[in-house]
Amino acid sequence: MHNNEMMEKEEIYSKVLRAGRRTYFFDVRATKAGDYYLTITESKKFTNDDGSFHYKKHKIYLYKEDFSEFNSILQEMTDYVIAEKGDEVISDRHQKDFKREYDTPAANTATEAPSTTEDNTPAESRFTDIDFDDI
């Protein structure tokens, strides 16, 4: 019980960000000397074949002396990603219910013959259905 009381005293301020299967915990904690630092924890839920589940956690400890440079680099990196790839989340395309809207006209598609190989098998039969849940 003494250990639980210490944990409660260490947590000063907390925020949670739920993002699909991932949850991010932002916690301000106190050192023994009474100074503050930040922990950022990523927790990801995994489901086992038997239906049970477990979580994998990764934690970053961030101290005050690193805040400014960390914020600067984080902002630079997020700006770069958005500038290069935009706001669309590409991994959403791999969801089972993703429907891509094409700009190409649908005219003449019904009269075109399906693509075939040299042995006259349709191109679609050469592919395997793959589930991309973990990408």
Side-chain angles (χ1 to χ4, degrees):
M1 182 151 154
H2 177 66
N3 198 16
N4 286 343
E5 289 175 16
M6 289 295 291
M7 289 298 290
E8 288 177 17
K9 288 181 181 179
E10 286 182 4
E11 289 187 27
I12 309 301
Y13 184 69
S14 296
K15 290 277 188 172
V16 176
L17 170 63
R18 288 179 179 31
R21 289 182 11 189
R22 290 181 172 84
T23 303
Y24 299 95
F25 300 92
F26 299 85
D27 298 303
V28 174
R29 298 182 181 262
T31 65
K32 289 180 182 178
D35 205 359
Y36 289 170
Y37 65 98
L38 175 65
T39 62
I40 303 170
T41 307
E42 176 205 35
S43 178
K44 186 173 179 184
K45 184 177 182 179
F46 290 90
T47 305
N48 300 319
D49 292 338
D50 65 359
S52 63
F53 56 88
H54 66 281
Y55 294 92
K56 288 189 179 178
K57 295 182 180 182
H58 299 93
K59 189 173 281 199
I60 296 173
Y61 294 86
L62 191 59
Y63 298 93
K64 287 192 311 187
E65 60 267 23
D66 302 321
F67 285 0
S68 179
E69 192 171 355
F70 186 92
N71 281 332
S72 176
I73 292 172
L74 180 62
Q75 186 65 56
E76 178 184 344
M77 300 306 276
T78 55
D79 288 347
Y80 177 83
V81 169
I82 299 301
E84 291 293 315
K85 296 295 182 179
D87 286 335
E88 179 189 8
V89 179
I90 295 172
S91 62
D92 285 346
R93 294 181 187 172
H94 298 292
Q95 299 299 323
K96 293 178 185 175
D97 59 351
F98 178 76
K99 302 277 190 276
R100 182 172 183 159
E101 295 180 19
Y102 293 94
D103 294 330
T104 58
N108 296 334
T109 56
T111 59
E112 293 177 8
S115 174
T116 59
T117 61
E118 290 179 24
D119 64 351
N120 290 329
T121 59
E124 296 83 21
S125 67
R126 297 178 305 189
F127 297 101
T128 304
D129 286 336
I130 298 175
D131 193 26
F132 291 98
D133 285 343
D134 291 328
I135 293 182

